[in-house]
Amino acid sequence: QVQLVESGGGSVQAGASLRLSCVAFGYTFCNYYMAWLRQAPENEREGVALICNDGTAMYVDSVKSRFTVSRDNDKNTLYLQMNSLKPEDTAMYYCARHTFPFRGNSINQADFGYWGQGTQVTVSS
């Protein structure tokens, strides 16, 4: 049974940093592309970052140079290092696993069939 458990959210001031973690259970972690997505109140869910099996990453333009996605396949863990946080980064952050192994080329939420419960990030000005 696939399970994704996020942690690391919190309330911070603008300019601060947070590191989100997502531990995966129930499948071969290294075989799947992983993503971070977020949803702010009254907004649609948007993709933030994607990481491939080999560590290649892509980001939405709004977080480039501030956020870094990484993975530790030995620990079955996905990370999102968030620096220089802005109030507009306030959202519930979700990690997600691509539905199929060794596949993925965009942070399209429709491609990700497994989701964690989310961790809240709140950035105040």
Side-chain angles (χ1 to χ4, degrees), residues 2 4 27 32-34 95-100 111-114:
V2 175
L4 302 171
Y27 69 97
Y32 290 84
Y33 290 21
M34 299 291 295
C95 73
R97 195 206 84 176
H98 199 283
T99 301
F100 302 105
D111 293 332
F112 293 85
Y114 299 90

Side-chain angles (χ1 to χ4, degrees), residues 1-115:
Q1 180 178 350
V2 175
Q3 187 176 7
L4 302 171
V5 181
E6 301 102 331
S7 62
S11 296
V12 298
Q13 296 283 325
S17 298
L18 283 173
R19 188 194 197 200
L20 306 184
S21 299
C22 171
V23 182
F25 302 91
Y27 69 97
T28 304
F29 180 72
C30 62
N31 288 352
Y32 290 84
Y33 290 21
M34 299 291 295
W36 287 99
L37 302 96
R38 65 186 179 186
Q39 187 167 21
E42 302 182 356
N43 285 4
E44 293 186 356
R45 194 172 293 180
E46 68 166 347
V48 175
L50 170 74
I51 186 165
C52 307
N53 309 67
D54 64 358
T56 303
M58 64 172 64
Y59 301 90
V60 67
D61 286 346
S62 60
V63 307
K64 284 181 180 177
S65 79
R66 298 190 298 121
F67 290 12
T68 303
V69 60
S70 61
R71 62 192 299 162
D72 186 333
N73 289 334
D74 291 334
K75 295 182 179 179
N76 290 352
T77 302
L78 176 72
Y79 301 99
L80 185 67
Q81 178 67 44
M82 304 186 295
N83 299 329
S84 301
L85 281 161
K86 303 176 180 180
E88 51 264 44
D89 294 319
T90 295
M92 184 72 78
Y93 283 72
Y94 300 89
C95 73
R97 195 206 84 176
H98 199 283
T99 301
F100 302 105
F102 306 108
R103 193 180 301 185
N105 57 11
S106 69
I107 323 171
N108 180 354
Q109 62 173 317
D111 293 332
F112 293 85
Y114 299 90
W115 297 73

